[in-house]
Amino acid sequence: MLETERSVPIKIVSVTTMVVNAEMRNWIFVKVMTDQDGLYGWGEASLNWKTRAVASTVEDLAPLLIGRDPRDIEQILRVLNKHSYYRLGIIGATAISGIEHALWDIFGKSLGVPAWRLLGGKVRDRVRVYTHLGMGDMKSVYETFDEGALRDRALAVIDKGYDALKVVFIPYSHYSVSNAARRDVGRRMQVLRDAVGDDVDIMIDFHGRPASQSAALQFIEELVPYRPMFCEEPVQPGDAEALRAITARAACPIAAGERLVGFKEFEPLFRAQAVNIIQPDLNHTGGLLEGKRIAHAAEHAFMGVAPHNPNGPIAGAAALHFDVSTPNFVIQEEMSGAVPWYDDVVSTPMRRIGNAWQVPESPGLGVEINEREAARHPFKQEVMHASGAVLDDGTVVDW
């Protein structure tokens, strides 16, 4: 265990990225090196179909970090956000998130404590998790519409010890919904519920596919008899009033937030009481400190927090430390073991017993990368699932 006295100055000397292709997506790992022998931190800045842009952004931001004390996380975040001059969107926020994860890793290692100690301490003894159909296989997640495959893949998840799962089977939609489409959604949900029983939670990710409130509500009406844990992102992000109207009429919890960046984009949801559960992605919204601010505001708005995370292993580790220390946490999305060689490339603190991650005790985020093994999986162009989001008449719709 590496321990560095608080009085000893620490300086950042380099910031680099390593891209690892995990078959259906790329992971972007960020490594921050210090001038202390053996003291460095790992973070993650993965973003679908934006790999080269994010990795280059980390490189562009790196000069703002050199020579700074990595433990001054609040100050560094201010520098990264304010001295960039132009406001940073999802690409910039993801780059900053990966850098910030690495700073918490360094901070924890410097004191010999897990990062959750520095984020407010432990508020629970385990972290409930869920996964998707296929347990990380993106094709299974986004392309399972057949009822037999839904049943089989759901049962495979339950056989692994999970008691909650998420599905993405809302059809590509527009402003209206056909009776056939409604029936298909209701039948798929019935098949799932009959297969897994009443004690397993099912979440339905709409992926923002409905183009109107009425279309979203018609699908929700079909799902409600089968008691979903929540319906996620029923319409596209950015319209708090539309979400508020859906939440007011839906007879089940509504969740949203994975595509929002920073507290300012979440604030309208709190003000409008627009959802029941918020889903910040700690890999995209600016990091753990920004995530904590969002969670605190959500608690005052009587909302739970279920962090979004279909990303890689370091993002999962960061989410674990956030969940351990966040009182209004509900459940965590995870995709550990998404590729067969997962454990060859990275060691993580996520230890799952049944339906829950256990609380880690190793310093920092508790992550280590085997860089030689990681280098065996270089960047590849990701699979573009969105290419199928076209209606029969050629209309391009939301993925």
Side-chain angles (χ1 to χ4, degrees), residues 279-318:
Q279 299 174 290
D281 190 313
L282 304 165
N283 204 68
H284 300 150
T285 200
L288 297 174
L289 203 56
E290 192 74 357
K292 295 292 283 190
R293 293 189 181 108
I294 292 165
H296 288 318
E299 187 173 18
H300 287 290
F302 302 100
M303 297 177 187
V305 182
H308 177 258
N309 177 44
N311 307 306
I314 304 178

Side-chain angles (χ1 to χ4, degrees), residues 147-222:
E147 293 168 19
L150 275 172
R151 180 189 303 108
D152 293 345
R153 289 171 179 168
L155 290 174
V157 170
I158 304 309
D159 285 344
K160 292 291 186 180
Y162 296 92
D163 65 356
L165 59 91
K166 183 189 284 183
V167 293
V168 187
F169 59 43
I170 301 298
Y172 298 121
S173 307
H174 208 30
Y175 290 88
S176 61
V177 176
S178 69
N179 288 332
R182 290 185 59 170
R183 287 195 301 270
D184 285 346
V185 166
R187 189 164 54 246
R188 289 168 190 152
M189 186 64 175
Q190 182 179 11
V191 165
L192 273 180
R193 179 55 72 202
D194 289 346
V196 303
D198 288 336
D199 296 331
V200 171
D201 281 318
I202 303 171
M203 292 146 276
I204 301 89
D205 188 350
F206 279 50
H207 238 237
R209 290 174 179 175
S212 67
Q213 296 174 39
S214 61
L217 285 165
Q218 287 179 79
F219 285 131
I220 291 170
E221 185 178 357
E222 295 293 328

Side-chain angles (χ1 to χ4, degrees), residues 1-23:
M1 180 181 295
L2 176 67
E3 295 190 26
T4 302
E5 295 294 335
R6 296 187 189 189
S7 59
V8 176
I10 305 175
K11 292 183 179 180
I12 296 171
V13 296
S14 69
V15 182
T16 57
T17 60
M18 169 171 276
V19 175
V20 177
N21 179 257
E23 297 180 4

Side-chain angles (χ1 to χ4, degrees), residues 248-260:
R249 294 180 60 185
C252 70
I254 300 297
E258 70 178 69
R259 288 190 263 182
L260 301 182

Side-chain angles (χ1 to χ4, degrees), residues 56-130:
S56 295
T57 301
V58 172
E59 184 177 345
D60 288 339
L61 293 171
L64 297 173
L65 296 161
I66 305 305
R68 295 187 177 275
D69 190 319
R71 298 167 296 184
D72 294 333
I73 296 174
E74 183 81 70
Q75 182 77 336
I76 288 174
L77 290 175
R78 289 179 65 82
V79 168
L80 292 174
N81 281 285
K82 294 182 177 296
H83 289 182
S84 296
Y85 183 64
Y86 292 103
R87 292 297 173 256
L88 300 172
I90 186 68
I91 291 172
T94 301
I96 289 175
S97 297
I99 292 168
E100 193 244 29
H101 293 167
L103 302 183
W104 287 109
D105 193 26
I106 291 170
F107 197 0
K109 288 175 179 176
S110 74
L111 298 174
V113 300
W116 56 259
R117 288 274 181 209
L118 306 174
L119 292 168
K122 184 173 68 171
V123 298
R124 59 183 42 83
D125 296 324
R126 59 189 177 277
V127 171
R128 191 185 183 204
V129 297
Y130 71 89

